[in-house]
Amino acid sequence: MNTEVQEASQNQRWLRLAVQNAFPEQHTALYGVQLGHNLEEAWHQLTSVLKVSDDELTSAVAEHYGLDLAELDSAKPFATRLVPEEMARKYHVLPMGEDGNSLVVAVSDPFNEEALEQLKAVSARHIITQLASPLAIDNFITANYSRALRKQTERLINLDQEEEQALSEEDQDSAAAQLGMQILRLGIDRGASDIHVQPFAGGGVIRCRIDGVLQRIATLPSTVFHALVRQVKALGGMDPSNDRKPQDGQLATTYQGREVEMRVSTLPCRGGERLVMRLHEQGEQVTLEALEFPPAELAAMLRIIQHTSGIFLVTGPTGSGKTTTLYALLDRLNQTGINIITIENPVEQEIVGISQVEVNPAAGLTFSSALRSILRQDPDVVLVGEIRDAETADIAVQAALTGHLVLSTLHTNDALTAIPRLLDLDVPAALVADSVIGVSAQRLLRKLCPACKRVPGETQDAASELFTEITGNPVGALATGCPECDYSGYKGRLPVAEIIEVGDPMREALVAEKTDLASLREATQGRGRSMSTVTADWIVSGVTSPDEASRVLGGRFWRELCIAHDHPVTTLPPLATDARTRAQHLPDILTVVTDAEQETLLRSALDSIGLLLSVANTIEEAIEKLRRESSIRMLLLDVDQPGIEARPLLRQLRASFTWAGLPFLLLLRENDEETGELLESYGVSDYLYKPFDATTLAQRVKAVLSR
């Protein structure tokens, strides 16, 4: 390309040069015409001034520069997977297909060096350009990428079908909504408390919070991700067209005879909106016994709620089970002769025989205003969802002092600091002494999976060894992982609580204005076990593990354990360094390969670009690995191996929701008769013919991940 043409590319001079050469007799018509910098506008100007058709102008430009004309209607649908739609629209290019190791691309500006470099990088191929007009390219971009999106969406919503089925037009319109329902069903089946849909790596990722820990369920292409968010917003009563401000909505559904309510929240962030659905299943009221509190803590709570007046506070962070515990207490108190009223935001579980009030700040119904009105309803027991301001705290204390049993929550780290928190809310120390009858702080610990937990052998992990060193007691069991627990090693949760029953020493300290933590701690000495002590008992009995204690209670668990056993204090959870080391060595790419030489080549190629490989020998083993190793970002599938048939393998891949939307690179024989059908029918991200070298494979993998 000559220097003059390179400079002209920025202001359409290259286009004017071609026109002047092709239409010399109409040269004068161009005098005074200033072509727009927008290529589509300039193209339209020229066809209008020269009185020629779009095709005639395209042919003239192509002939002048010796370019081939693009036959846009012959573009291969698979080619759209090699160039993101956003890039195609930005540079007015349409991927057409392949010619050997080159990608053929229709362009309207053949001298846009930036576009050509970007296309080369994203496709990991040499670029061959053909010419087409901007308008024609734009129309085909819309048509071809829409068709690709429909096929991708079908792949995601037909996950439980063995054979391919085309969707009707009506089904295609609701594809994202069907995908949302599929995700919801899976979340309910796995017992998820929350479903997160958020932007990730140019697309979206779906994660479910199961037993308090987020687990990746699927990844989604960008277009499918945005369509899903819009559909859920519409179903949840939100404005799907407004993605610039946070919104809240709600949904309700029935599934296998179960009623499930969902609170939906959206938040604008970089890359799109993140959406969280909080699931709550309506069903039988949980009992205190079903919550599995240790006998000592259960007895303490039963003693506290036998009081006819006073405040009982349950503290802990969001998601620590405070509301569930309060509902269980109400279930125990719920009798014909007792009038119970609750104030909640929102009402999470309907309880027969109890009047439940949902706050509505927009209508002036706040915790404090509702509590004032409730006290005129002659209640015996009042539940206040949360004491969050001085006014609510003052009214709750007055209610307790006038003969009501008040149950409520506070956000504090432990039971004892609930007292200073009330003082910070301007409740006088003397009134705290007269009104507070007990405080409980709790967390939720995952239980070891009963199907796969193992008795520790001679070698243990660092956390277990430190636990034994500090306490002198052996660890009861360790996590392993199996299909029953989704390879997490844990299944279900139980509460761990520390409960303070306020007695005379505490009241005397408060009346004497001894409100510092040291004085309060001295006043409660011997009146309850710490969460760390309770957790240690669960560890020795094999119910949970030291690793789980570290995850939930952090360094506090080890410090309190050291103090209780007169051991030099460990200030940080063990494995903090080890965990970081493990994170640096988690696999990025998963492959199914049976040939040792092939495996060596794959590892060499990926190591050169800083990626780690996880190898499976069968598709079943690969599915297990993917469920266990949430760091996997891409799949490498070699369908040219003994004993592996491409079609059944890809069908099985398609049927696994865990793999939905995850990009994968297909390795196959050149001139394979099935190649075209495989690429079009099974959502392949890219492919590479064998044999190949490590450099080519590395470039292709980087290109797929960059899309």
Side-chain angles (χ1 to χ4, degrees):
M1 188 189 307
N2 60 56
T3 305
E4 181 183 12
V5 172
Q6 288 183 23
E7 295 173 352
S9 180
Q10 297 302 316
N11 57 10
Q12 320 305 352
R13 287 179 57 196
W14 65 272
L15 187 55
R16 186 185 288 270
L17 287 172
V19 168
Q20 289 173 347
N21 180 70
F23 305 100
E25 69 281 359
Q26 294 173 276
H27 184 256
T28 55
L30 294 175
Y31 288 153
V33 176
Q34 182 66 40
L35 295 182
H37 287 284
N38 181 292
L39 187 58
E40 190 170 351
E41 179 186 344
W43 209 273
H44 178 69
Q45 285 178 282
L46 289 172
T47 55
S48 299
V49 171
L50 299 174
K51 302 294 190 291
V52 296
S53 68
D54 208 50
D55 289 342
E56 289 175 320
L57 180 57
T58 305
S59 297
V61 175
E63 183 177 353
H64 178 75
Y65 291 113
L67 297 171
D68 291 332
L69 286 170
E71 297 182 12
L72 299 180
D73 55 2
S74 67
K76 304 296 183 184
F78 172 74
T80 59
R81 295 186 197 149
L82 305 180
V83 178
E85 182 178 1
E86 183 180 358
M87 181 180 293
R89 292 194 180 278
K90 177 180 179 180
Y91 295 116
H92 274 287
V93 299
L94 179 73
M96 299 286 293
E98 293 178 286
D99 183 357
N101 194 39
S102 299
L103 176 65
V104 180
V105 180
V107 300
S108 51
D109 181 354
F111 306 114
N112 189 332
E113 297 288 356
E114 178 185 342
L116 297 179
E117 287 299 320
Q118 291 293 324
L119 289 169
K120 183 178 180 180
V122 80
S123 67
R125 290 163 169 81
H126 298 296
I127 302 301
I128 298 175
T129 58
Q130 295 179 346
L131 193 70
S133 72
L135 180 59
I137 287 178
D138 189 57
N139 290 338
F140 272 88
I141 286 175
T142 300
N144 287 18
Y145 279 90
S146 297
R147 184 162 59 247
L149 170 59
R150 280 202 302 273
K151 294 184 75 66
Q152 180 74 303
T153 306
E154 289 172 25
R155 180 168 70 90
L156 289 169
I157 65 173
N158 289 329
L159 298 169
D160 56 351
Q161 297 179 2
E162 284 293 323
E163 300 297 333
E164 313 297 321
Q165 283 189 4
L167 294 176
S168 66
E169 288 298 322
E170 182 178 351
D171 287 336
Q172 289 170 2
D173 292 339
S174 62
Q178 293 180 45
L179 172 59
M181 292 303 101
Q182 178 79 353
I183 294 167
L184 185 56
R185 285 193 293 271
L186 189 141
I188 296 171
D189 285 338
R190 294 196 181 182
S193 60
D194 303 84
I195 298 175
H196 293 236
V197 183
Q198 67 186 83
F200 177 76
V205 64
I206 299 169
R207 298 188 294 173
C208 288
R209 189 175 294 280
I210 300 171
D211 290 337
V213 178
L214 283 173
Q215 298 181 16
R216 189 187 69 181
I217 300 301
T219 55
L220 302 175
S222 177
T223 43
V224 178
F225 162 70
H226 292 298
L228 174 61
V229 172
R230 288 193 300 269
Q231 286 288 347
V232 175
K233 288 170 67 177
L235 292 171
M238 295 175 277
D239 181 3
S241 64
N242 190 338
D243 58 2
R244 296 181 299 277
K245 70 175 185 178
Q247 298 188 62
D248 295 301
Q250 57 186 30
L251 287 167
T253 188
T254 58
Y255 176 58
Q256 296 181 345
R258 300 146 72 181
E259 295 183 8
V260 180
E261 293 184 352
M262 291 153 282
R263 284 181 280 161
V264 186
S265 171
T266 65
L267 180 69
C269 61
R270 188 170 183 176
E273 289 179 282
R274 63 171 294 143
L275 180 147
V276 175
M277 292 181 280
R278 172 155 290 185
L279 279 60
H280 180 74
E281 185 175 339
Q282 299 292 324
E284 293 185 4
Q285 173 63 34
V286 66
T287 64
L288 277 173
E289 290 75 14
L291 292 180
E292 300 185 76
F293 279 102
E297 281 65 40
L298 176 60
M301 282 194 288
L302 291 176
R303 286 194 298 269
I304 290 172
I305 63 173
Q306 285 175 359
H307 289 74
T308 57
S309 64
I311 297 178
F312 178 43
L313 296 170
V314 181
T315 74
T318 301
S320 60
K322 300 188 300 295
T323 302
T324 302
T325 298
L326 289 175
Y327 278 168
L329 293 172
L330 290 182
D331 177 71
R332 178 58 67 95
L333 293 167
N334 191 9
Q335 301 173 24
T336 304
I338 297 180
N339 180 19
I340 302 176
I341 305 178
T342 74
I343 317 164
E344 304 172 63
N345 183 24
V347 173
E348 294 191 11
Q349 177 77 49
E350 293 184 9
I351 307 175
V352 177
I354 292 179
S355 300
Q356 295 173 273
V357 179
E358 186 162 296
V359 301
N360 184 357
L365 185 62
T366 62
F367 278 110
S368 55
S369 63
L371 185 52
R372 281 198 193 90
S373 299
I374 283 173
L375 295 180
R376 295 193 287 270
Q377 295 288 315
D378 187 30
D380 297 296
V381 179
V382 178
L383 183 148
V384 182
E386 181 183 353
I387 294 177
R388 60 176 65 185
D389 54 49
E391 186 178 9
T392 304
D394 179 62
I395 300 171
V397 167
Q398 295 301 325
L401 293 174
T402 53
H404 304 87
L405 178 60
V406 179
L407 310 179
S408 191
T409 68
L410 273 178
H411 285 291
T412 61
N413 288 326
D414 55 34
L416 195 59
T417 52
I419 302 301
R421 174 66 177 144
L422 287 177
L423 299 176
D424 289 341
L425 292 173
D426 297 328
V427 179
L431 294 186
V432 173
D434 285 343
S435 60
V436 178
I437 55 176
V439 182
S440 172
Q442 72 175 54
R443 302 290 189 275
L444 292 177
L445 289 171
R446 291 182 297 170
K447 296 189 291 185
L448 290 167
C449 174
C452 65
K453 67 180 181 180
R454 61 183 175 86
V455 177
E458 293 183 2
T459 59
Q460 299 186 38
D461 58 77
S464 298
E465 290 177 352
L466 181 59
F467 178 85
T468 301
E469 177 189 323
I470 294 173
T471 65
N473 296 315
V475 171
L478 296 177
T480 301
C482 67
E484 285 290 318
C485 59
D486 230 12
Y487 300 97
S488 66
Y490 300 88
K491 190 170 185 180
R493 289 189 292 177
L494 78 166
V496 53
E498 59 182 22
I499 300 177
I500 296 175
E501 297 177 78
V502 177
D504 291 339
M506 170 77 81
R507 293 192 179 95
E508 290 170 3
L510 289 170
V511 170
E513 299 289 338
K514 295 180 179 179
T515 57
D516 59 284
L517 282 177
S519 298
L520 295 175
R521 189 171 290 111
E522 183 180 350
T524 58
Q525 201 73 288
R527 298 189 64 86
R529 301 190 300 169
S530 70
M531 280 190 285
S532 298
T533 302
V534 176
T535 300
D537 286 349
W538 286 128
I539 292 172
V540 172
S541 60
V543 176
T544 190
S545 69
D547 265 341
E548 178 65 4
S550 285
R551 186 188 70 84
V552 175
L553 299 177
R556 168 188 175 177
F557 170 70
W558 301 101
R559 288 193 298 273
E560 291 183 350
L561 216 57
C562 289
I563 293 171
H565 291 83
D566 196 24
H567 185 280
V569 174
T570 299
T571 57
L572 291 175
L575 295 185
T577 302
D578 292 345
R580 285 194 295 269
T581 303
R582 287 200 305 272
Q584 294 170 1
H585 294 86
L586 291 175
D588 305 282
I589 311 293
L590 177 64
T591 188
V592 180
V593 64
T594 58
D595 180 76
E597 186 176 341
Q598 177 90 326
E599 179 182 337
T600 301
L601 174 61
L602 296 180
R603 289 192 184 279
S604 172
L606 296 176
D607 185 62
S608 69
I609 53 176
L611 298 176
L612 295 180
L613 183 70
S614 179
V615 177
N617 297 119
T618 65
I619 195 70
E620 291 78 12
E621 183 184 345
I623 292 175
E624 287 192 10
K625 279 179 171 286
L626 188 62
R627 291 170 65 185
R628 298 173 67 175
E629 298 169 352
S630 60
S631 61
I632 299 295
R633 294 189 287 154
M634 180 182 166
L635 309 174
L636 273 175
L637 299 178
D638 187 349
V639 295
D640 180 32
Q641 299 183 74
I644 290 184
E645 296 182 32
R647 194 177 300 280
L649 183 145
L650 292 174
R651 186 177 294 126
Q652 193 169 1
L653 167 64
R654 176 183 175 125
S656 171
F657 192 84
T658 309
W659 289 23
L662 205 64
F664 63 98
L665 179 67
L666 204 63
L667 307 176
L668 68 170
R669 294 191 309 275
E670 191 166 7
N671 302 321
D672 190 319
E673 294 180 359
E674 288 189 317
T675 297
E677 186 177 352
L678 292 177
L679 299 181
E680 296 304 328
S681 301
Y682 291 95
V684 178
S685 306
D686 206 341
Y687 67 94
L688 190 60
Y689 287 128
K690 300 167 65 175
F692 51 81
D693 57 56
T695 302
T696 303
L697 176 62
Q699 291 174 346
R700 199 62 56 87
V701 168
K702 285 179 64 177
V704 172
L705 290 176
S706 72
R707 297 173 207 154

